[in-house]
Amino acid sequence: MRTMKKLNTVLLSAGLLAALSAQAQLRVEISGVGSNQIPVAVATFADESVSPTQISKVIKTDLERSGAFKVIDAGTIADVNNVDLSAWKSKGADAVVVGTVQKAADGTFAVRYKLMSTVQNSKLSQLDQQAAPQFTRLAGHKIADDVYEKLTGVRGIFATRIAYVTQQGRSYRLEVADADGENVQLALSSNEPIISPSWSPDGTKVAYVSFEQKKPVIYVQNLVTRQRTVIANEKGSNSAPAWSPDGSKIAVALSKTGNTQIYIANATGGGLRRVSNSTGIDTEPQFSADGQSIYFTSDRSGGPQIYRMSVNGGDAQRVTFSGSYNISPRISSDGKSLAYISRRSGNFQLYVMDLASGQEQRLSDNTNDQAPSFAPNGKYILYSTESGGRKALAVVSVDGRVKQRLTIQAGAIKEPTWGPFMK
């Protein structure tokens, strides 16, 4: 039964952009640091007290959470045009972040920042934003993203969102938050189970399975217009929707013929066609990064393992060979890494595999991990786990060095998914 539950995951979501603030706030704990941390001095932004958000604090927290930076508190630097870079170099900083905040007559805030290199003795970047009061935290995340990208060469993910499900008794809530667990919003409250949310590549829609009709039905909901489209309402189980990279198709797992198999449907509804054709259970489909292949879980070899096949069907190649139980495949955005859950010595733990070499690494020391989800830059993985007997979320860097845990005060938190880069 546990195998079937793991293999046939589904989801539920609705109306994120019209969401109300949720009462439960996430609590974030950070452990571990990255190798070769970059020392960065971050100054308190001049006049940022006029803003509802302490923007420099958001930036500092983001950079620290990444594990890639050693943040140095630079105090307040009022004159951002005359920064003594040599002095900060002598204090061990490779770069300095300074900025200002001004309130406009219309109530918005002009947020300006500069990133300067003490090594090159020059400006590396600058960014000017005009933010409404409710988006001042987002302005800070965007600055942290810019710092991260300019100093590491990798796009930052601080301005992205995550979705997850909380459960307290028979009450289920789908919530959305900033990547740091702040700014929590309620998307949906239901007396029926909500699991496995799946973002569209552009972040404007979500595919889900609703049990409101006392059977699983797959929908796509536009988060702006709230329009809802039925994708699959077939006999039996309709589960595990996953978007194609271009957002035009959705892979699903259906048991309409008896045993669960992989199908592909149009993201606008209709066009349902069968892809897999085995006598076993084929489920948990995920498109490859180029959209030409589908990774999925199947028990065709006796126990659940991960396979890959063409989007047009045909022969499938087995991908996982270590361990007798491997499920929940997720592919990084560059197509080079596979995250999955493996049962070893009775423990369900998060692993990541380099697809070119087949080399795998265990990223978790927990015993009941589920539902991995790559950050859009491929450098971190969000997943569900247990902490002190309670469901919690965790984030780990793909090298295993940086770990975060996200919990709520009451109830369980699970079924996470990391949203795409914001446009």
Side-chain angles (χ1 to χ4, degrees), residues 219-248:
Y219 296 88
V220 164
Q221 180 151 342
N222 186 305
L223 304 179
V224 179
T225 66
R226 301 176 64 85
Q227 180 181 356
R228 197 160 73 151
T229 303
V230 174
I231 300 300
N233 184 10
E234 305 293 329
K235 178 182 177 181
S237 175
N238 303 274
S239 64
W243 295 82
S244 64
D246 65 2
S248 67

Side-chain angles (χ1 to χ4, degrees), residues 96-146:
V96 181
V97 175
V98 296
T100 63
V101 179
Q102 292 179 317
K103 187 174 183 179
D106 62 0
T108 62
F109 296 88
V111 182
R112 300 181 175 89
Y113 117 100
K114 292 181 182 179
L115 173 66
M116 292 173 286
S117 169
T118 66
V119 178
Q120 302 174 13
N121 195 36
S122 63
K123 182 177 69 176
L124 294 179
S125 184
Q126 72 177 47
L127 184 65
D128 296 340
Q129 302 176 72
Q130 201 73 27
Q134 66 271 30
F135 295 127
T136 49
R137 290 195 81 258
L138 179 59
H141 289 318
K142 288 182 177 180
I143 292 171
D145 281 342
D146 190 67

Side-chain angles (χ1 to χ4, degrees), residues 10 36-37 98 279 368:
V10 292
N36 303 317
Q37 285 186 302
V98 296
T279 58
N368 192 19

Side-chain angles (χ1 to χ4, degrees), residues 15 22 25 49 67 77 80 126 148 158 164 179 187 215 247 282 285 318:
Q25 292 292 317
S49 60
I77 299 178
V80 299
Q126 72 177 47
Y148 187 96
F158 306 119
Y164 51 87
K215 62 166 292 188
D282 296 344
R318 185 169 166 177

Side-chain angles (χ1 to χ4, degrees), residues 21-293:
S21 294
Q23 295 179 355
Q25 292 292 317
L26 287 173
R27 179 169 165 265
V28 182
E29 302 170 6
I30 306 169
S31 63
V33 296
S35 58
N36 303 317
Q37 285 186 302
I38 302 171
V40 179
V42 181
T44 300
F45 281 24
D47 297 323
E48 73 175 358
S49 60
V50 301
S51 166
T53 302
Q54 190 178 347
I55 294 172
S56 61
K57 183 178 180 180
V58 173
I59 298 167
K60 291 174 185 177
T61 303
D62 282 347
L63 298 180
E64 287 172 343
R65 281 191 308 110
S66 74
F69 300 94
K70 177 184 177 182
V71 176
I72 302 169
D73 188 349
T76 301
I77 299 178
D79 190 352
V80 299
N81 296 315
N82 291 287
V83 180
D84 189 345
L85 296 180
S86 61
W88 285 108
K89 183 178 181 180
S90 67
K91 294 179 181 178
D94 287 355
V96 181
V97 175
V98 296
T100 63
V101 179
Q102 292 179 317
K103 187 174 183 179
D106 62 0
T108 62
F109 296 88
V111 182
R112 300 181 175 89
Y113 117 100
K114 292 181 182 179
L115 173 66
M116 292 173 286
S117 169
T118 66
V119 178
Q120 302 174 13
N121 195 36
S122 63
K123 182 177 69 176
L124 294 179
S125 184
Q126 72 177 47
L127 184 65
D128 296 340
Q129 302 176 72
Q130 201 73 27
Q134 66 271 30
F135 295 127
T136 49
R137 290 195 81 258
L138 179 59
H141 289 318
K142 288 182 177 180
I143 292 171
D145 281 342
D146 190 67
V147 174
Y148 187 96
E149 183 171 4
K150 296 300 187 300
L151 297 182
T152 69
V154 177
R155 190 171 177 181
I157 43 78
F158 306 119
T160 60
R161 296 180 296 171
I162 61 173
Y164 51 87
V165 174
T166 64
Q167 179 185 359
Q168 190 167 11
R170 290 290 301 167
S171 176
Y172 298 86
R173 295 163 61 95
L174 177 64
E175 297 179 346
V176 176
D178 293 350
D180 61 356
E182 296 291 333
N183 193 27
V184 177
Q185 294 181 313
L186 173 65
L188 180 71
S189 180
S190 175
N191 291 326
E192 301 294 335
I194 303 171
I195 53 177
S196 301
S198 179
W199 296 87
S200 67
D202 64 2
T204 65
K205 303 180 185 69
V206 66
Y208 60 88
V209 175
S210 170
F211 288 87
E212 64 202 59
Q213 297 184 32
K214 304 303 179 182
K215 62 166 292 188
V217 179
I218 299 175
Y219 296 88
V220 164
Q221 180 151 342
N222 186 305
L223 304 179
V224 179
T225 66
R226 301 176 64 85
Q227 180 181 356
R228 197 160 73 151
T229 303
V230 174
I231 300 300
N233 184 10
E234 305 293 329
K235 178 182 177 181
S237 175
N238 303 274
S239 64
W243 295 82
S244 64
D246 65 2
S248 67
K249 305 290 183 181
I250 295 178
V252 297
L254 308 178
S255 65
K256 57 184 294 187
T257 59
N259 58 323
T260 302
Q261 295 290 288
I262 306 300
Y263 293 73
I264 293 178
N266 296 330
T268 55
L272 190 68
R273 64 180 177 88
R274 184 168 174 171
V275 180
S276 70
N277 189 10
S278 76
T279 58
I281 296 174
D282 296 344
T283 188
E284 296 189 316
Q286 292 286 313
F287 281 91
S288 61
D290 62 7
Q292 299 304 304
S293 301

